[in-house]
Amino acid sequence: MSSPQNLNIIDVMKFVMSISVIGIHSYIFGPEQFPLLLNYVVMTAVSFFITTSGYLYYRNKENLKQVPWGKLGWKYFKLYFIWVAIYLPLILYGLKSNGCGAIENIGVFVYNLLVTGSNPYSYHLWYLLAVGVACFIMYILAKSHISLFNIWILGLTLILVAYFAMRNQGAFGNMFRTIFETGNNGLTYGLGAFATGMMLTRISTHKRVIATCLFLIGLALFKYDQPFSALCGGASIFLLCSTINLKEHAIYCHLRALSSWVYFIHMYFVFIIMSCIIRGWLPNNRYEGWLIATVCSVMASVVIVVTHISY
């Protein structure tokens, strides 16, 4: 299998996608709707991250048992609970603001903590829970000698089931929404996106053609609100990036660290900017809010990374 000498471009794209995640949450700042293409790219961001994780953990591997799935799962769960603790002040504020009683809020918090990964003002943390769950599912299925292709098909099937269940008004749809609330979780989305990244390691030729086709198919699916749109978009962007070599430079390691910090801390700045808009201190504009949140998140991340390097 041929592969580029490095994946430095992926570190660049991770940084871009971390800013795109801020764009996802920028709906809070104003009523403006993004143009179709921008909205599509922004909405593929989390899929890109999950797909990238699957690719990076499985590249250069010949079989599923070569990957320490259990250790990886625990790693993501630990990160998830650490970041939930960091966001706990905002989570508690959001729960208190919903007008429900303490017992009900505790139930909502525990449910979101264990199932959706999306408590108030910490919605983006579902990525960590999804990858952790996907790794543990991979651990179980690898022990059962199930092939990667069959796991991938299972993951895609679960995505499809979740898509129709979320739109079904009958008993099945009601039961699904009661259990999962959303299709964005480790079981019904994480496994499929993660396995897709692993499958991309097997593509060695015609990457640009395949990536272009996937991107256009995903765009059409997104326009008409069909399943697999974000998955196609995230996979296509990653696949296209994997064809590009950039010369080695320390900046890419720094960008990798910056993208992680921007992704994980940005909701604090989103909350602050939202509060300023509510008080009339900032204009009610989605684009301006996105820009301000991005600048604040990047600046704070730079300080954190530089401080870490200094020590």
Side-chain angles (χ1 to χ4, degrees):
M1 179 179 64
S2 61
S3 60
Q5 293 178 345
N6 61 61
L7 289 174
N8 291 329
I9 186 64
I10 299 301
D11 293 324
V12 177
M13 190 52 62
K14 281 183 177 181
F15 182 72
V16 173
M17 285 303 189
S18 68
I19 294 174
S20 295
V21 172
I22 302 177
I24 295 175
H25 300 131
S26 65
Y27 71 88
I28 296 174
F29 304 139
E32 294 83 5
Q33 296 295 316
F34 290 151
L36 175 64
L37 184 59
L38 175 61
N39 200 23
Y40 172 58
V41 172
V42 164
M43 294 305 292
T44 65
V46 179
S47 291
F48 172 84
F49 282 117
I50 299 176
T51 299
T52 298
S53 296
Y55 181 96
L56 294 177
Y57 290 133
Y58 196 63
R59 66 172 178 159
N60 302 323
K61 301 294 191 300
E62 296 299 328
N63 61 72
L64 297 176
K65 292 184 177 180
Q66 290 180 293
V67 183
W69 297 116
K71 290 182 179 179
L72 285 175
W74 282 118
K75 170 189 172 183
Y76 277 92
F77 282 153
K78 289 176 184 176
L79 282 173
Y80 173 64
F81 286 112
I82 288 172
W83 279 105
V84 168
I86 292 172
Y87 272 94
L88 198 56
L90 293 190
I91 292 172
L92 294 176
Y93 175 85
L95 291 173
K96 184 179 179 181
S97 301
N98 68 14
C100 298
I103 301 299
E104 185 174 351
N105 280 334
I106 291 173
V108 170
F109 171 73
V110 173
Y111 166 79
N112 288 332
L113 180 71
L114 300 178
V115 179
T116 69
S118 299
N119 266 298
Y121 302 109
S122 61
Y123 316 109
H124 58 305
L125 299 184
W126 80 269
Y127 155 72
L128 291 175
L129 183 61
V131 175
V133 170
C135 285
F136 273 107
I137 295 174
M138 292 299 303
Y139 174 81
I140 295 171
L141 296 180
K143 290 283 188 181
S144 303
H145 305 287
I146 299 176
S147 69
L148 172 58
F149 179 79
N150 287 334
I151 293 173
W152 179 56
I153 294 299
L154 172 62
L156 296 185
T157 301
L158 290 171
I159 292 175
L160 195 62
V161 169
Y163 170 83
F164 286 109
M166 290 298 295
R167 289 158 178 76
N168 182 275
Q169 299 304 314
F172 173 67
N174 292 333
M175 180 181 67
F176 182 90
R177 289 187 293 273
T178 299
I179 297 173
F180 292 107
E181 190 177 274
T182 173
N184 291 336
N185 57 73
L187 178 62
T188 63
Y189 193 86
L191 179 63
F194 195 80
T196 296
M198 296 169 65
M199 289 292 293
L200 292 181
T201 64
R202 299 317 189 220
I203 298 178
S204 59
T205 60
H206 308 299
K207 288 185 177 183
R208 289 188 177 90
V209 174
I210 296 172
T212 301
C213 292
L214 278 176
F215 186 87
L216 294 176
I217 290 171
L219 181 61
L221 292 172
F222 181 76
K223 181 178 181 180
Y224 296 104
D225 188 29
Q226 296 301 306
F228 305 121
S229 59
L231 184 63
C232 287
S236 67
I237 293 171
F238 178 88
L239 193 59
L240 180 61
C241 288
S242 70
T243 67
I244 302 172
N245 271 311
L246 296 178
K247 291 183 178 180
E248 294 292 345
H249 196 284
I251 188 64
Y252 303 120
C253 291
H254 300 324
L255 277 176
R256 188 186 313 154
L258 278 177
S259 66
S260 295
W261 283 109
V262 168
Y263 182 95
F264 289 117
I265 70 174
H266 77 271
M267 281 305 295
Y268 263 101
F269 294 105
V270 168
F271 176 81
I272 293 170
I273 294 167
M274 179 195 69
S275 301
C276 291
I277 291 174
I278 291 174
R279 289 166 173 77
W281 299 344
L282 289 173
N284 185 29
N285 184 283
R286 184 174 187 179
Y287 290 97
E288 290 185 19
W290 184 10
L291 176 61
I292 296 170
T294 297
V295 171
C296 292
S297 300
V298 171
M299 289 179 63
S301 298
V302 168
V303 170
I304 293 171
V305 171
V306 170
T307 302
H308 177 73
I309 293 173
S310 300
Y311 286 96

